[in-house]
Structure formats: structure tokens, C-alpha cells
Amino acid sequence: MGRDKVIKPDNTAVRTALWRALHVQTDAKPHILEDEIGFKLIAPDDDWQERPDMKYTKRLRASIVARSRFIEDIAKGQIEKGVKQYVLLGAGLDSFAQRNTAISSYVDIYEIDQHDTLTWKEEKLIENGYKIPGNLHFVPVDFEISSWWDELLNKGFNVEQRAFVSCIGVTLYLTKEAITDTLQKMTLLAPGSTIAMAFYLPLELLDEEDKPLMEMSIKGAAASGTPFVSFFSVEEIIKLAEKVGLKEIQTISTKDMTEKYFKNRTDNLLPASGEFFLVAKTL
């Protein structure tokens, strides 16, 4: 008899959650984001902070907490404006729903990710005493063979109602065709919906100090069977967003993030270059 398959979350989702916890545990206050819930679910070994991907990646950690905070700031702003649906495409071990119960109870939250990551997460949340409210919907998708849009509609998402859709840590692993298709699907959202999507600059456009780390990341991703596929310049993404018919198109750079969240820090915490955001609305 074959053994039951052990269900585990995606490595990238685990690493991201641990970076968010490491920020709280080792960086100076004020913290950009206070999030140790993923850490509780993972319950890593005592020496987890000695992992190479924790120890030598301060700038990446800063980028991760900045992008999470940035997305949450938009989500909160949208919910305050009456948006009732929040979709996290590539949710990983995000814990917005658990940390923001006062406002998250007013909105349907749809977390889209791979089956194993979401199944593991739901089990661990329950084990750790977190209730799964009726307005939190886990939407498992095999991105290779099924449509996240169809699965989202199957879970009761209302296409007539405005939504906020975030997509971070995903485009790096998708082909340009799949990214274009994802953006086209987003244009089907109700008029006035907001999207925020992260993209990665090609190696040659990074700051010099970030190139070696990105080269290592590219090799590591390829070796683990989840290679990085797509990099874009800011101009390419603006053109793509215009082509699919989005409006009020903005791009937010690492420099903008630094200005927004890292001024007057005492610990020299600064985000790595390389990631930028498209924020836009649907017609």
C-alpha cells in the first residue's frame, strides 16, 4: 500500500511568512508589518533564523514586509470605501483575515493558491484556535490546468460587485501569455474595481548590490523545480495594462516604497530593488 501523501505548503509561502516574523523578531521598531501568524502555523525548528535564506537576505525581507504592508494599506482603503470582495491571488500564508477581524468581517475574502498550501493552512489555522468564518473562502487552483477565474466564480464571487484583487509573488513564475490572460480576466471585474500586481525587473535593471542575490535566487528556483519565468521593465507593464483596457494606471517602485515606509529608521533596513507594482482600475 502506498503511503498517504504528506500535505505541505509551498516553500515560497513558508519563506515569505518566516521573513515577516523575522522582521518582528529582529528588526527595530516601528515594524512595517506585525505578522507572526504564519510563523505560528509553521512552528519552525529553534535554529530557523540560521537558515541561509533568512540569515543573508535582509534587503529581501524588507521588500517582503513592504509589499505586504502596501497591499494591506490598499485593501483597508478599499474596504473603507465600501468594497465588499477582496481576492488574494497567490495568497500563500497571508493572514490579513486573522489580523484584521474588525474590518475583514465586512468583506468576502477569497484566497487563491495551490491545493496543498491552502489545505495545510486551513488545518493549521484550526489547530491553532483560529475559526474559519463563513466569509473566508479558500479557492484551491492548479494554475497549470485550471482557471483561477472559473474556480473563483464557483466559490460564489459576485462579478457584478466591485472588488480589490492583489497578486504578489506570482508573476515571476508565469509565462507572459499567462500574465496577459490574468490581466484580461481582471478586466471582467465590476467597473471601478482595483487591482495591485507585483512584477520583477530583469537582472540588468537591478541595483548592483542586489544582482548577486538575484542570481542565486534564479539558480535556487530552477534547482527546486519552480524556475523564474517572467521579468518585465516598467514600460512593458504599462503598455500591457493599457492594451488590456485598464485605467488609472500607476506603477510604484522600490524608491517609492523606501520613501513610504523606511524613512528615519535606525537599523538601516532598506528594500531590495527589483520588484515594482502595477495598481490600476477596471473600466
Side-chain angles (χ1 to χ4, degrees):
M1 281 184 46
R3 285 185 184 172
D4 287 343
K5 183 182 163 212
V6 177
I7 290 181
K8 291 195 304 191
D10 175 75
N11 285 335
T12 310
V14 169
R15 186 182 304 120
T16 302
L18 291 180
W19 271 332
R20 291 200 290 256
L22 191 59
H23 172 59
V24 176
Q25 294 180 21
T26 63
D27 294 327
K29 290 181 176 177
H31 295 132
I32 291 152
L33 187 82
E34 298 259 353
D35 180 11
E36 294 183 278
I37 290 179
F39 171 78
K40 278 184 203 158
L41 306 189
I42 298 159
D45 295 336
D46 289 346
D47 63 350
W48 69 277
Q49 292 189 11
E50 297 302 309
R51 287 169 46 154
D53 60 355
M54 294 294 121
K55 206 169 178 181
Y56 306 110
T57 51
K58 186 177 179 180
R59 285 168 66 83
L60 284 181
R61 174 169 86 242
S63 299
I64 292 296
V65 293
R67 80 179 187 191
S68 298
R69 169 69 185 274
F70 174 69
I71 293 294
E72 290 200 6
D73 285 352
I74 299 177
K76 288 172 181 174
Q78 289 295 303
I79 293 165
E80 280 165 16
K81 288 177 185 168
V83 166
K84 295 278 193 286
Q85 301 182 110
Y86 176 21
V87 179
L88 293 87
L89 194 48
L93 303 185
D94 187 278
S95 60
F96 179 87
Q98 289 76 40
R99 287 178 290 107
N100 296 281
T101 48
I103 58 166
S104 64
S105 57
Y106 293 105
V107 61
D108 274 294
I109 297 174
Y110 297 88
E111 296 195 6
I112 302 177
D113 214 314
Q114 297 167 60
H115 174 273
D116 284 10
T117 297
L118 291 180
T119 302
W120 181 92
K121 180 180 183 177
E122 186 171 5
E123 283 174 6
K124 291 292 177 186
L125 282 168
I126 293 164
E127 265 177 39
N128 282 271
Y130 294 98
K131 291 192 166 56
I132 310 295
N135 62 321
L136 175 59
H137 313 276
F138 294 112
V139 187
V141 175
D142 181 337
F143 292 100
E144 300 295 317
I145 58 169
S146 57
S147 158
W148 65 269
W149 181 254
D150 292 345
E151 298 297 340
L152 179 61
L153 296 180
N154 288 340
K155 287 284 183 176
F157 179 80
N158 183 354
V159 78
E160 304 293 322
Q161 207 175 60
R162 280 185 308 145
F164 170 50
V165 180
S166 72
C167 178
I168 57 176
V170 173
T171 60
L172 204 49
Y173 304 98
L174 300 179
T175 62
K176 295 193 177 184
E177 293 73 26
I179 292 164
T180 304
D181 180 65
T182 298
L183 282 168
Q184 282 170 333
K185 292 282 194 303
M186 289 181 182
T187 65
L188 303 174
L189 295 164
S193 294
T194 300
I195 70 154
M197 203 167 186
F199 293 91
Y200 292 82
L201 295 168
L203 197 59
E204 64 271 13
L205 294 182
L206 300 192
D207 294 349
E208 280 305 316
E209 65 188 303
D210 293 321
K211 285 180 182 176
L213 197 55
M214 184 46 115
E215 283 171 339
M216 273 170 51
S217 298
I218 290 169
K219 282 181 187 156
S224 67
T226 50
F228 296 162
V229 178
S230 294
F231 298 89
F232 295 87
S233 69
V234 173
E235 294 70 29
E236 283 178 297
I237 287 305
I238 291 171
K239 271 190 193 155
L240 184 53
E242 287 171 345
K243 190 177 166 190
V244 300
L246 292 165
K247 64 171 187 172
E248 293 182 38
I249 295 163
Q250 297 173 285
T251 56
I252 289 87
S253 67
T254 302
K255 211 175 198 123
D256 299 326
M257 287 280 175
T258 304
E259 188 63 21
K260 208 170 170 60
Y261 299 124
F262 294 88
K263 278 168 85 168
N264 307 320
R265 288 194 66 84
T266 57
D267 56 0
N268 198 29
L269 186 70
L270 289 168
S273 60
E275 192 174 36
F276 68 97
F277 293 85
L278 166 73
V279 180
K281 286 198 179 296
T282 54
L283 286 163

